[in-house]
Amino acid sequence: MSTLLIEAFYGGSHRQLVELLQEELEDCVLYTLPAKKWHWRARTSALYFSQSIPTSEHYRILFTSSVLNLTELAALRPDLGKLKKILYFHENQLVYPVKKYQERDFQYGYNQILSCLVADVIVFNSVFNMESFLTSIGKFMKLIPDHRPKNLESIIRPKCQVIYFPIKFPDVSRFMPKHKIAHLKKMLSGNGYGGTSLSPMLPTQAEGRDAENVLENLKSEYDVHSGLDTAQENLNNSSRQQSDLKNSSSSNNSSFHLGNEENITFDPCNLLCGVDDQQKPLHIIWPHRWLEAVYCGCYPLCPKDLVYPEIFPAEYLYSTPEQLSKRLQNFCKRPDIIRKHLYKGEVAPFSWAALHGKFRSLLTAEPREDL
């Protein structure tokens, strides 16, 4: 057990990542806390883990997400502080959405900065996440009334790198039309990424469960982070869009839903089977897990902002609520456009098959004189 995995918020994508690492690494041990009461996990999990993780001379690497205050843990457990410490950012608290800037709790962002200072390697899940964090440090630290620390960005940046969040894509071919199966296979096997073997035949029982879990995630994943107000922040930004869409829906006699969980129609067969029946309405979902949604055959329509331009080609982005409304109206009039569409971006670079080698290299112990 040379690798110590610690996850203070063991749910959703946080759980998915450490479980993939646990499968990949033969010699590791995992310690977790349940994915609830996020704010308390960020405040107190270091003390809990300092008491619950037994000492061991076999540990060489510590991998954790930025929910944990790594600085506190290293101070409370000097034996763990000596390890190669890897910090993974699913999100960062310097720019995470809040209803009002005055409501941002300084301590959470400050804890992440301190954790970066003691970490040996800092990994972000996107270039946007990394740059938005690093370039916000200076402004964030100006909130301190006096005696501010200096040059923190220049100290932290050399330790940073980007490794996209890995997705272990299951076989969902039984939910998809033939033309999309062939296209998906091509996307996954191209560019030397190895790819996933897809077959129109029924998957094994385990693969079937994985596929159903992916489809279910498109509807319910955001519930895991309800304590962070993730969904609410997105909906606040789109309230005017929804008003426009409702008006256009009544005038054009089109049927669609957006953003309201109670109104989302989620039927994998209707959504993914590619029927050309013009009388069948277009299904619009709020997946929260985009790269899974596209893999399952959905057409992405995302704001030209945040991380989306980094992931999706320009044709899938909109700049204004009016552009979103117009495109949705056109799609609702011609749902066959979406059902026949073949995604023009890439999904292979985000697959576990493509990324597992980078994570394995990251978690390779480096000899240290004091161990």
Side-chain angles (χ1 to χ4, degrees), residues 1-5 21-23 25-30:
M1 52 182 180
S2 63
T3 302
L4 175 62
L5 305 175
L21 297 179
Q22 198 174 22
E23 291 178 11
L25 303 169
E26 302 81 11
D27 194 22
C28 67
V29 61
L30 172 64

Short mmCIF file of all heavy atoms in Angstrom, two decimals, residues 1-5 21-23 25-30:
data_model
loop_
_atom_site.label_atom_id
_atom_site.label_comp_id
_atom_site.label_asym_id
_atom_site.label_seq_id
_atom_site.Cartn_x
_atom_site.Cartn_y
_atom_site.Cartn_z
N MET A 1 0.83 -1.21 0.00
CA MET A 1 0.00 0.00 0.00
C MET A 1 0.86 1.26 0.00
O MET A 1 0.82 2.07 0.90
CB MET A 1 -0.95 0.00 1.20
CG MET A 1 -0.28 -0.23 2.54
SD MET A 1 -1.50 -0.26 3.86
CE MET A 1 -0.44 -0.53 5.26
N SER A 2 1.67 1.42 -1.05
CA SER A 2 2.56 2.57 -1.12
C SER A 2 1.84 3.86 -1.44
O SER A 2 2.34 4.95 -1.19
CB SER A 2 3.65 2.32 -2.17
OG SER A 2 3.08 2.19 -3.45
N THR A 3 0.61 3.77 -2.02
CA THR A 3 -0.16 4.96 -2.37
C THR A 3 -1.34 5.12 -1.42
O THR A 3 -2.14 4.20 -1.25
CB THR A 3 -0.69 4.88 -3.81
OG1 THR A 3 0.41 4.73 -4.71
CG2 THR A 3 -1.45 6.15 -4.17
N LEU A 4 -1.44 6.28 -0.82
CA LEU A 4 -2.52 6.60 0.11
C LEU A 4 -3.51 7.52 -0.60
O LEU A 4 -3.16 8.65 -0.96
CB LEU A 4 -1.95 7.28 1.36
CG LEU A 4 -2.94 7.79 2.40
CD1 LEU A 4 -3.76 6.64 2.97
CD2 LEU A 4 -2.21 8.54 3.50
N LEU A 5 -4.73 7.05 -0.85
CA LEU A 5 -5.78 7.85 -1.47
C LEU A 5 -6.71 8.36 -0.38
O LEU A 5 -7.22 7.58 0.43
CB LEU A 5 -6.58 7.01 -2.46
CG LEU A 5 -5.79 6.30 -3.58
CD1 LEU A 5 -6.72 5.42 -4.41
CD2 LEU A 5 -5.09 7.31 -4.47
N LEU A 21 -8.66 5.03 -9.81
CA LEU A 21 -7.26 4.93 -9.39
C LEU A 21 -7.03 3.67 -8.56
O LEU A 21 -6.00 3.01 -8.69
CB LEU A 21 -6.87 6.17 -8.58
CG LEU A 21 -6.91 7.50 -9.33
CD1 LEU A 21 -6.53 8.63 -8.39
CD2 LEU A 21 -5.99 7.48 -10.54
N GLN A 22 -8.00 3.35 -7.73
CA GLN A 22 -7.90 2.16 -6.90
C GLN A 22 -7.86 0.89 -7.76
O GLN A 22 -7.14 -0.05 -7.45
CB GLN A 22 -9.08 2.11 -5.92
CG GLN A 22 -8.87 1.19 -4.74
CD GLN A 22 -10.00 1.30 -3.74
OE1 GLN A 22 -11.11 1.72 -4.06
NE2 GLN A 22 -9.73 0.92 -2.50
N GLU A 23 -8.62 0.89 -8.85
CA GLU A 23 -8.60 -0.25 -9.77
C GLU A 23 -7.26 -0.34 -10.51
O GLU A 23 -6.76 -1.43 -10.79
CB GLU A 23 -9.72 -0.11 -10.81
CG GLU A 23 -11.12 -0.29 -10.25
CD GLU A 23 -12.18 -0.08 -11.31
OE1 GLU A 23 -11.81 -0.01 -12.51
OE2 GLU A 23 -13.37 0.03 -10.97
N LEU A 25 -4.21 0.88 -9.54
CA LEU A 25 -3.04 0.69 -8.70
C LEU A 25 -3.17 -0.57 -7.87
O LEU A 25 -4.15 -0.75 -7.16
CB LEU A 25 -2.84 1.90 -7.79
CG LEU A 25 -2.71 3.25 -8.51
CD1 LEU A 25 -2.79 4.38 -7.51
CD2 LEU A 25 -1.40 3.32 -9.28
N GLU A 26 -2.18 -1.41 -7.94
CA GLU A 26 -2.23 -2.66 -7.20
C GLU A 26 -1.92 -2.44 -5.72
O GLU A 26 -2.35 -3.21 -4.86
CB GLU A 26 -1.23 -3.67 -7.77
CG GLU A 26 -1.42 -3.99 -9.25
CD GLU A 26 -0.82 -2.97 -10.19
OE1 GLU A 26 -0.06 -2.10 -9.70
OE2 GLU A 26 -1.11 -3.01 -11.39
N ASP A 27 -1.17 -1.40 -5.41
CA ASP A 27 -0.64 -1.23 -4.07
C ASP A 27 -1.10 0.10 -3.48
O ASP A 27 -0.33 1.06 -3.40
CB ASP A 27 0.90 -1.28 -4.14
CG ASP A 27 1.52 -1.44 -2.76
OD1 ASP A 27 0.82 -1.92 -1.86
OD2 ASP A 27 2.69 -1.08 -2.61
N CYS A 28 -2.38 0.18 -3.09
CA CYS A 28 -2.90 1.44 -2.56
C CYS A 28 -3.95 1.16 -1.49
O CYS A 28 -4.48 0.05 -1.38
CB CYS A 28 -3.49 2.30 -3.66
SG CYS A 28 -4.97 1.62 -4.42
N VAL A 29 -4.25 2.19 -0.70
CA VAL A 29 -5.29 2.10 0.31
C VAL A 29 -6.10 3.39 0.27
O VAL A 29 -5.55 4.47 0.03
CB VAL A 29 -4.68 1.86 1.72
CG1 VAL A 29 -3.77 3.02 2.13
CG2 VAL A 29 -5.77 1.65 2.76
N LEU A 30 -7.42 3.28 0.49
CA LEU A 30 -8.33 4.42 0.34
C LEU A 30 -9.02 4.72 1.66
O LEU A 30 -9.56 3.82 2.32
CB LEU A 30 -9.38 4.12 -0.73
CG LEU A 30 -10.53 5.11 -0.90
CD1 LEU A 30 -10.00 6.47 -1.35
CD2 LEU A 30 -11.56 4.57 -1.91
#
